[in-house]
Amino acid sequence: MRLSLLLLSTLFLLLEARRPNARQFNSTMEEITFRGAVLHAPPFATVEELPGGAYEYGGVQIDLLESMKQFALEDNILVNFDLRPSPPQYGAAFNLVANDCNTTDNPNTVEACNEIDIMVANFYSTPSRALRSELSPSWMRSTISTMKYTDASKTLRDVTTMEQAAGFGVPVCLKTDTFYAGVVAAKFPSIIFVSCGDQDICISKLKAQECGLYASDELQLRFRAANDNTLSVTPESFNTQYITWAFKDSTPNIRWVKKWIYQAVVNTTMDQLYFKYFQKELCPVGTAGESCELKCDPDHGEADESGLCVCKSTKYTGDDCSIEVPEEKNLISAGLKAMAYLMVACNYIVILGLVLWMILKKRSHQIRLSQPFFLLLVLLGCAISTSTIWAMTQEDPGDGPVRACMAVPWLYSVGFSITFGCLFAKIRRVYLIFKSAADFRRSKVTFGETCSITAAVLLLDVTILMIWSIVDPLQWERTVTSIDKFGVPLSSEGICNCQHWEVWVGSISLLHGGLLAIACYLCYQSRDIPTKFSEGKYVSIAMFSNLQIFVVGLPILIILGSDSSAGFFVRTVIIWMNDLVVVVLIFGNLIYHVHFHPAFDRVDKEDVSREIGSAIQQFSLAKKERSQRSSSSSEQEKEKSRRSAKIAQFGTSSEFKMNSRASTGSRFEMPSVAEESDEDDASGSASMHFTVPNKDSEEKKDSTVPSVAKAVKDVSHTSWGDMEFKSESIQSTSFKGLEGLDNNN
């Protein structure tokens, strides 16, 4: 029994001796030591010399080495890293582990190169480095980016991209003896580079404004910007790079280092280090808040470093980015449309009121002198032009069609042609009649001729519009003006457009401009005709007012650009004011004379005749005075002598075809300015006559006819010597014998 117990105890002790405990595990594991050198490059690695000559190491790579020690224990390996500082430059540091020591490219001795197994530095993995040394697996990814100084005291030109720096000649700081220095110099050869030995010197030069940008590794730049609010990393980045370590080719057990690097990547150790040094760890997708307790739409938003749910696109809004923002169509607001309709109604009411007023006052001589048919056409043209505002309010939130597109140029152009074509024809008719009367010539300007001029102007406009409508009509187009980064439309605007609109608009503008220029010239020539016979003065004011509106309005439209609502408002006001100003100026003067100077309407035909004669007399005198001022004094004397002889001949000439009357003597016909009345239409055409007393008349007091030149000296007289103006209706008229008079008068 005792023997059995002894055997069992011995077996138990043997089993306990074979079970590995902590002390026995450490005594039997493999121990590996790697000689390493650390390159100072915050935040990847920091090297700080302590009192007594020792060094303290920190940074991303040192934390990675500590993690690798834990991975080694799991593999029953005790790993040690014997570290020392490396040369401060990347090239010099890499040479210590390269396989080309003791060469021209690498002057380090073989003994010096054999002292280092691992170079702990953030090397970019490049083909040339892969040939000169063995590289570790990539343990982080980065890019080349730039940083700029954002302090308010900065005086150097602000640039954000390398292209801007090249274009404006702004220098760029670049750390020497680095791989990315060669990449940047090759990519932007025209940039002026400022070299600096290390990162701190480069940033000092950046703040001293010796350079506008500092190009370096993006991760290093972000680390520095996170600790200095005067520095900002630009959005520009290029040439993605993978960061590795460099090993000596003959280093034993290097396969374990590679394994542990892969393990650090797989088990998120590198992710944790990235969030620790370069960026705060964000909330998981779909969450937000300081503790990631809030909802954030996973499709349209993501949490930022502060926990706020930030929408990826302005297409979505709300605290959780779940509310979709409708596309901005840039349609005309209901308020603007209401205002436009009010303007149209205002003009229509004014025009309709004037038509009714003209019907009520159709017997007024002042209205008849103003040629009411053409005044009605002016009102019709303004009404059609005003209708353009209604057409401009028509739009579609989609791609159309909008059938009112082509109506806009039709309404405006036809209305303009009728309005100013009538005014042009009306002024021309009155001017020719007065000019002929002043020159003692017979001139007949028929009603049909005047209407044909208006029709010709309208026909030209209609021809251009018809060709436009057939060949290249306006079509409704909706253009996307802004999109988000995913290509989703954020705003768009719709316009009526065609392929060659400049040609058509230019043609119509040239026609209208020529019409206005000729009308302005006739207004200037007719400036001495009283306004009761011609509205030249007020038409001139209306045209000048329209010109002012266009001169001010067109630059405003250009400045507004794509602002559809503001542009619509300006165009509406221009059309409304153009039409209203024409109506007010033309009819305001007429209403004033009819209601505040009614005496002219109560006189008989002989008084009207004398009034017209006085107007012709005034026009002739003004024309003569301008002619005399333009000639020399000697020519004026000759003119007076020759005209006196002609007028003396006029008093005894028998070349006139006279119509004798027992009571008034002989007469000759002059054209009438006024339109025919209803009574005149029944008996014949209205004519103006000079009445010359007969020798047998009892009213004759002198055997000679006073000189016309003497009679016109006093423009306040309503008679011309012993001749008076009389309006009668006769069938045949003749005006001969004055062909020899100088028509310059």
Side-chain angles (χ1 to χ4, degrees):
M1 187 68 169
R2 290 180 179 178
L3 181 59
S4 299
L5 291 174
L6 180 60
L7 290 173
L8 289 173
S9 299
T10 303
L11 180 61
F12 177 81
L13 291 174
L14 290 174
L15 292 174
E16 285 292 320
R18 294 179 59 88
R19 189 189 337 181
N21 53 36
R23 184 182 302 272
Q24 291 171 335
F25 181 80
N26 290 334
S27 61
T28 59
M29 70 172 48
E30 182 181 1
E31 184 174 356
I32 301 175
T33 300
F34 294 102
R35 297 168 300 173
V38 181
L39 174 66
H40 178 74
F44 292 104
T46 58
V47 180
E48 182 179 357
E49 186 175 2
L50 300 176
Y55 291 92
E56 183 178 7
Y57 304 99
V60 177
Q61 298 174 95
I62 305 305
D63 289 351
L64 176 58
L65 291 177
E66 294 298 323
S67 298
M68 292 171 64
K69 291 179 180 180
Q70 299 299 320
F71 302 151
L73 292 177
E74 296 176 2
D75 293 326
N76 201 28
I77 296 175
L78 181 64
V79 62
N80 296 308
F81 295 100
D82 185 11
L83 303 178
R84 67 177 184 177
S86 77
Q89 301 298 329
Y90 283 90
F94 189 84
N95 285 339
L96 291 176
V97 291
N99 54 20
D100 56 357
C101 295
N102 199 22
T103 62
T104 304
D105 295 333
N106 187 358
N108 293 311
T109 63
V110 176
E111 292 77 9
C113 292
N114 290 330
E115 294 177 358
I116 303 297
D117 298 322
I118 301 175
M119 182 57 65
V120 182
N122 54 313
F123 291 119
Y124 289 158
S125 56
T126 64
S128 61
R129 285 173 175 168
L131 290 175
R132 297 181 60 205
S133 176
E134 185 172 355
L135 302 180
S136 72
S138 174
W139 45 270
M140 194 165 286
R141 187 182 66 175
S142 184
T143 62
I144 302 174
S145 187
T146 57
M147 172 188 286
K148 66 179 182 179
Y149 184 54
T150 59
D151 191 78
S153 61
K154 179 180 178 180
T155 58
L156 186 66
R157 187 185 186 98
D158 184 64
V159 293
T160 302
T161 66
M162 299 291 281
E163 291 292 344
Q164 290 178 342
F168 296 119
V170 176
V172 175
C173 288
L174 199 61
K175 186 178 177 182
T176 58
D177 196 24
T178 57
F179 168 75
Y180 54 77
V183 173
V184 174
K187 191 176 183 66
F188 305 98
S190 60
I191 290 182
I192 303 172
F193 292 104
V194 176
S195 299
C196 37
D198 58 42
Q199 190 180 82
D200 293 332
I201 296 176
C202 287
I203 292 179
S204 298
K205 290 186 176 183
L206 180 66
K207 291 185 175 181
Q209 302 184 50
E210 296 182 26
C211 53
L213 294 174
Y214 168 40
S216 183
D217 179 84
E218 180 188 5
L219 296 177
Q220 289 181 299
L221 296 179
R222 290 192 179 280
F223 175 76
R224 297 301 295 261
N227 296 279
D228 190 340
N229 56 11
T230 64
L231 300 176
S232 174
V233 179
T234 68
E236 184 175 30
S237 62
F238 48 90
N239 287 66
T240 300
Q241 302 295 330
Y242 294 89
I243 302 175
T244 63
W245 288 337
F247 302 143
K248 190 70 176 177
D249 286 344
S250 58
T251 302
N253 299 317
I254 202 64
R255 69 183 187 280
W256 289 108
V257 177
K258 294 180 179 180
K259 174 185 179 296
W260 297 328
I261 291 176
Y262 282 124
Q263 190 170 351
V265 173
V266 170
N267 71 354
T268 71
T269 298
M270 295 312 305
D271 292 338
Q272 297 173 17
L273 293 177
Y274 179 85
F275 292 128
K276 177 181 178 181
Y277 287 95
F278 303 109
Q279 180 181 333
K280 182 180 178 180
E281 186 175 5
L282 304 179
C283 290
V285 176
T287 62
E290 294 183 1
S291 303
C292 303
E293 75 281 3
L294 302 178
K295 179 183 177 182
C296 184
D297 192 289
D299 296 324
H300 309 127
E302 59 183 8
D304 61 5
E305 295 181 358
S306 62
L308 182 66
C309 183
V310 179
C311 300
K312 299 177 182 178
S313 168
T314 54
K315 183 72 175 175
Y316 297 90
T317 186
D319 293 338
D320 57 355
C321 299
S322 60
I323 302 175
E324 183 175 0
V325 178
E327 178 185 345
E328 177 55 56
K329 299 286 187 177
N330 289 303
L331 299 174
I332 303 171
S333 65
L336 279 178
K337 285 188 177 181
M339 181 206 65
Y341 295 146
L342 186 62
M343 290 182 180
V344 174
C346 174
N347 279 8
Y348 281 172
I349 291 172
V350 172
I351 291 171
L352 181 60
L354 290 173
V355 171
L356 295 176
W357 177 80
M358 289 183 63
I359 294 175
L360 295 175
K361 297 293 182 179
K362 65 180 180 179
R363 297 287 181 180
S364 170
H365 283 286
Q366 185 62 54
I367 292 180
R368 295 173 62 196
L369 287 173
S370 299
Q371 307 173 72
F373 176 77
F374 294 101
L375 293 179
L376 289 174
L377 286 181
V378 169
L379 292 176
L380 175 62
C382 289
I384 294 175
S385 178
T386 300
S387 301
T388 308
I389 299 176
W390 170 84
M392 290 193 305
T393 62
Q394 308 305 304
E395 57 185 349
D396 186 81
D399 296 328
V402 176
R403 303 191 183 280
C405 277
M406 204 61 211
V408 173
W410 271 94
L411 291 173
Y412 182 77
S413 298
V414 170
F416 182 93
S417 297
I418 293 176
T419 300
F420 285 93
C422 288
L423 293 175
F424 165 72
K426 185 174 181 292
I427 293 171
R428 174 184 175 275
R429 184 187 191 194
V430 175
Y431 171 71
L432 291 178
I433 291 175
F434 270 75
K435 185 177 183 298
S436 299
D439 292 341
F440 288 91
R441 291 185 296 105
R442 174 175 175 78
S443 177
K444 186 176 182 181
V445 183
T446 63
F447 176 79
E449 179 183 352
T450 306
C451 290
S452 65
I453 294 176
T454 304
V457 173
L458 180 60
L459 180 61
L460 288 174
D461 240 334
V462 170
T463 301
I464 297 175
L465 291 169
M466 186 68 69
I467 297 174
W468 185 1
S469 301
I470 296 174
V471 176
D472 188 21
L474 288 171
Q475 301 288 341
W476 180 259
E477 293 181 358
R478 178 159 294 279
T479 304
V480 176
T481 56
S482 65
I483 59 175
D484 64 5
K485 61 183 180 181
F486 305 106
V488 179
L490 300 177
S491 66
S492 62
E493 63 177 7
I495 57 173
C496 293
N497 194 16
C498 64
Q499 188 173 0
H500 303 291
W501 65 269
E502 301 92 344
V503 176
W504 310 113
V505 174
S507 301
I508 294 176
S509 300
L510 186 63
L511 174 62
H512 292 178
L515 178 64
L516 289 177
I518 298 174
C520 289
Y521 172 77
L522 290 178
C523 288
Y524 176 77
Q525 293 292 330
S526 308
R527 63 191 182 278
D528 297 315
I529 300 177
T531 55
K532 64 179 62 179
F533 303 106
S534 170
E535 296 83 4
K537 173 183 177 182
Y538 296 96
V539 172
S540 300
I541 297 174
M543 291 181 177
F544 182 73
S545 175
N546 289 349
L547 180 61
Q548 284 183 314
I549 294 173
F550 278 111
V551 168
V552 175
L554 289 179
I556 293 177
L557 288 174
I558 295 174
I559 293 172
L560 292 175
S562 60
D563 191 339
S564 57
S565 296
F568 169 79
F569 173 78
V570 173
R571 291 192 297 271
T572 299
V573 171
I574 288 176
I575 296 173
W576 174 69
M577 290 188 65
N578 278 342
D579 296 333
L580 187 62
V581 165
V582 170
V583 170
V584 170
L585 288 175
I586 300 300
F587 287 88
N589 172 64
L590 184 60
I591 293 173
Y592 175 79
H593 280 84
V594 170
H595 289 280
F596 296 96
H597 293 278
F600 188 75
D601 286 336
R602 293 195 295 267
V603 298
D604 57 20
K605 290 187 176 181
E606 292 186 359
D607 292 330
V608 174
S609 176
R610 283 190 291 271
E611 187 75 20
I612 297 173
S614 177
I616 297 176
Q617 181 181 356
Q618 178 181 348
F619 177 77
S620 177
L621 179 59
K623 189 172 183 293
K624 179 181 178 180
E625 289 177 350
R626 287 193 299 273
S627 177
Q628 290 176 345
R629 285 195 298 268
S630 64
S631 62
S632 62
S633 58
S634 60
E635 291 177 349
Q636 291 178 5
E637 293 298 330
K638 293 179 181 179
E639 178 70 18
K640 289 181 180 179
S641 300
R642 189 165 64 87
R643 185 163 293 283
S644 297
K646 291 291 184 181
I647 294 177
Q649 180 183 358
F650 165 77
T652 58
S653 176
S654 61
E655 294 180 12
F656 290 96
K657 179 181 177 182
M658 299 295 181
N659 292 323
S660 299
R661 280 190 177 183
S663 60
T664 59
S666 301
R667 60 181 182 170
F668 60 89
E669 180 188 355
M670 292 290 291
S672 174
V673 178
E675 288 189 335
E676 299 81 16
S677 64
D678 297 337
E679 294 83 5
D680 293 332
D681 293 336
S683 59
S685 61
S687 304
M688 296 302 302
H689 309 275
F690 290 105
T691 303
V692 184
N694 226 332
K695 289 183 178 180
D696 299 332
S697 174
E698 63 181 15
E699 295 180 4
K700 180 162 180 64
K701 297 180 181 180
D702 198 338
S703 59
T704 61
V705 179
S707 171
V708 176
K710 179 180 179 181
V712 298
K713 290 182 180 179
D714 187 0
V715 297
S716 64
H717 294 168
T718 58
S719 61
W720 199 333
D722 287 338
M723 297 181 295
E724 65 180 34
F725 289 94
K726 182 177 180 181
S727 177
E728 279 190 305
S729 298
I730 60 175
Q731 293 292 337
S732 65
T733 59
S734 179
F735 193 12
K736 301 179 180 178
L738 298 183
E739 289 84 351
L741 288 178
D742 190 345
N743 292 333
N744 291 331
N745 187 17

